[in-house]
Amino acid sequence: MSEDVWSEQDTDPDAIEAALRALLRTRHAENQALIPARVLNLVVIVDRDWKGEVANRLQRVGRYQASRTILCGVQQGRTTLDAVATVSYEEPGAGSVGVVREQIEIDLGPEHLEALDTVVDPILVSELPTIVWSPHGYTDAVNRLLPVTDVILLDSDDLPEPAEAFERAGSLCDRVYVVDLAWLRTTPWRERLAASFDLRERAAALSRVSELEICHQESSTASGLLLSGWLASRLGWEPVPLAGVPGQELSGSLARPDGEVRLRLQRLSQDAPGLGGVTVEAEPGLRLSLSRGRGGLDAEETDAEGERRHWKILGASRGEGGILGEGVRQALLRDPTYPAALWVARELCPV
């Protein structure tokens, strides 16, 4: 990978945009097989002290990197803009085309956040969808960017109170498309649960689910609630606030059309964020359990006759390292099940 770099202290958005145009023009003049990627803008707002770590996370998304990334590092006491613009590319082989991606790092102060749209807007590639991700908060700055934003990338597991996280996500859903990393952590579990009950002989058991138990990392209560919300919204369960303390254990009973479902969320000791296990019981006597294991998910099923089976679902989890890349990819898609699951998850939060 080769790079062309421009930097300037005490600069302004127009100078940054002009420098990018000059870098791209020079690179294309030297090799006309190099063309700029034009799929997504990504704007990231972070504490400047954590800018390097976030930049490393962005590098690991691989082929899902945005076409133009604008990384805004907020530094207390700063009154000027310093910027570094980087154009990255691989020289293409004969008869092929190379793709150029651009990353702009801007160091700015808290006072710039009050008008962040005027800083970012001139640097965005026009007519491309724009994602905004602010892992360290800065809610007001995100709100300033909403008029030029198509997708908000957030993580409901970041906040200690799921109710607060869901309230924020719900309010944003009314204005932009929301990609929630906490929701994406449930994807392999949703896929495998749906596949497990897709067989004709098991599908009828969905209307007789009597118990649902979800194990999650201490900081991933939101993921557990979103999985519960997904099942409840798809199967027509009536949500009620659960009892307990988020991050420890939550429990309650949800009404289904012809009975009730006992729901329990409990903490699990594991390093990776997200879920560690899901167990579904259905009358009469069916029990399906999925748990995180090496290389995939460990599955165990007990049928109504008491016969037990074990098997391994290989490659079920994308791993935490792939969650951010999947979040960027999801910006180009639309998942109609998230808003319904989010609404139910909000109703399940303890009052």
Side-chain angles (χ1 to χ4, degrees):
M1 182 70 70
S2 301
E3 295 181 344
D4 298 335
V5 181
W6 167 92
S7 65
E8 186 171 275
Q9 295 181 330
D10 193 8
T11 188
D12 59 69
D14 290 337
I16 298 171
E17 194 276 334
L20 275 170
R21 280 191 288 108
L23 288 174
L24 291 171
R25 185 168 56 248
T26 299
R27 182 50 43 206
H28 182 67
E30 295 184 3
N31 187 342
Q32 295 186 7
L34 287 170
I35 59 174
R38 288 296 177 259
V39 180
L40 287 171
N41 294 303
L42 172 61
V43 181
V44 186
I45 310 167
V46 298
D47 294 332
R48 186 180 182 278
D49 292 342
W50 292 89
K51 186 174 70 172
E53 178 177 328
V54 172
N56 288 336
R57 286 187 65 185
L58 292 171
Q59 287 293 325
R60 292 197 294 270
V61 305
R63 60 195 179 100
Y64 295 133
Q65 288 184 30
S67 308
R68 179 172 290 185
T69 300
I70 304 172
L71 183 59
C72 302
V74 184
Q75 182 180 23
Q76 297 298 320
R78 173 177 284 276
T79 58
T80 60
L81 299 179
D82 291 354
V84 177
T86 304
V87 170
S88 304
Y89 55 92
E90 289 187 11
E91 294 287 351
S96 61
V97 173
V99 176
V100 178
R101 287 187 169 85
E102 306 126 66
Q103 177 164 309
I104 304 95
E105 297 185 16
I106 305 175
D107 292 339
L108 42 76
E111 66 180 43
H112 297 109
L113 298 180
E114 300 174 4
L116 188 59
D117 53 331
T118 64
V119 175
V120 168
D121 191 30
I123 310 173
L124 296 174
V125 181
S126 61
E127 300 182 359
L128 292 186
T130 297
I131 317 171
V132 173
W133 178 40
S134 184
H136 301 148
Y138 298 112
T139 301
D140 291 341
V142 172
N143 290 338
R144 292 288 304 185
L145 291 178
L146 285 178
V148 297
T149 300
D150 300 283
V151 180
I152 292 288
L153 184 64
L154 53 80
D155 189 347
S156 290
D157 281 329
D158 278 346
L159 295 179
E161 291 296 331
E164 181 183 351
F166 295 155
E167 186 68 29
R168 173 64 174 163
S171 65
L172 288 170
C173 280
D174 295 333
R175 304 184 63 180
V176 294
Y177 181 62
V178 173
V179 174
D180 191 339
L181 300 185
W183 172 249
L184 297 184
R185 292 188 184 98
T186 71
T187 300
W189 305 89
R190 289 184 282 117
E191 290 175 345
R192 270 58 190 190
L193 282 171
S196 297
F197 286 95
D198 192 46
L199 298 175
R200 181 175 300 177
E201 58 269 25
R202 291 185 190 164
L206 288 173
S207 63
R208 302 192 301 270
V209 172
S210 58
E211 187 166 337
L212 173 64
E213 180 179 283
I214 298 173
C215 299
H216 58 83
Q217 191 206 48
E218 180 179 356
S219 64
S220 296
T221 303
S223 290
L225 288 168
L226 285 168
L227 181 65
S228 305
W230 171 69
L231 280 167
S233 64
R234 305 304 290 176
L235 298 177
W237 303 344
E238 187 68 28
V240 295
L242 302 178
V245 178
Q248 297 183 20
E249 182 171 315
L250 299 174
S251 61
S253 295
L254 285 65
R256 72 176 199 226
D258 58 349
E260 69 173 23
V261 180
R262 295 182 299 278
L263 171 62
R264 183 168 67 150
L265 277 70
Q266 60 179 354
R267 179 175 59 184
L268 182 70
S269 178
Q270 66 180 30
D271 294 332
L275 307 183
V278 177
T279 299
V280 179
E281 294 190 22
E283 303 163 350
L286 175 66
R287 186 177 189 272
L288 175 66
S289 178
L290 303 176
S291 59
R292 185 187 293 265
R294 183 181 295 273
L297 299 180
D298 295 323
E300 178 182 314
E301 181 187 75
T302 303
D303 62 21
E305 287 72 37
E307 184 177 350
R308 183 174 298 177
R309 298 192 307 123
H310 301 265
W311 69 96
K312 170 76 77 172
I313 304 175
L314 297 176
S317 176
R318 296 171 174 84
E320 185 62 22
I323 289 295
L324 183 57
E326 180 64 14
V328 175
R329 188 180 79 91
Q330 286 290 327
L332 297 173
L333 307 174
R334 290 296 181 268
D335 185 348
T337 59
Y338 172 71
L342 175 65
W343 183 87
V344 175
R346 291 168 67 179
E347 297 297 308
L348 292 175
C349 289
V351 294

